[in-house]
Amino acid sequence: PSGANEKVTIRCAEEIQYIFVYDMNGARVVHTQNNEISVQNLPDGMYVAVVKTKSGSLKSARFIVRK
């Protein structure tokens, strides 16, 4: 997983409908339609971003917040 301390940018070949970010306890901590996610208010740790595209497919990626 990649590390971040300010923001995470999600790149996807398809148009993004929304992004949910979950912590490792399964709690949803972010819901956005923007492909740039500010992580400044998230505690250090590992997270999973789940991306739903306009075509309906789901993709996921892990990232680590370190400040």
Side-chain angles (χ1 to χ4, degrees):
S2 59
N5 59 12
E6 290 184 21
K7 69 179 179 178
V8 172
T9 302
I10 304 291
R11 294 187 185 117
C12 186
E14 299 179 54
E15 189 175 354
I16 294 171
Q17 183 173 356
Y18 62 76
I19 300 170
F20 289 142
V21 177
Y22 297 92
D23 65 16
M24 288 294 98
N25 294 319
R28 186 171 68 194
V29 294
V30 175
H31 174 209
T32 186
Q33 294 177 315
N34 189 344
N35 71 325
E36 288 191 354
I37 302 165
S38 172
V39 297
Q40 293 177 334
N41 295 326
L42 296 177
D44 288 3
M46 187 175 293
Y47 295 86
V48 176
V50 177
V51 178
K52 183 174 182 187
T53 65
K54 294 278 185 177
S55 68
S57 66
L58 292 174
K59 305 186 184 303
S60 65
R62 292 184 294 171
F63 63 93
I64 297 171
V65 172
R66 281 195 198 119
K67 299 179 188 143

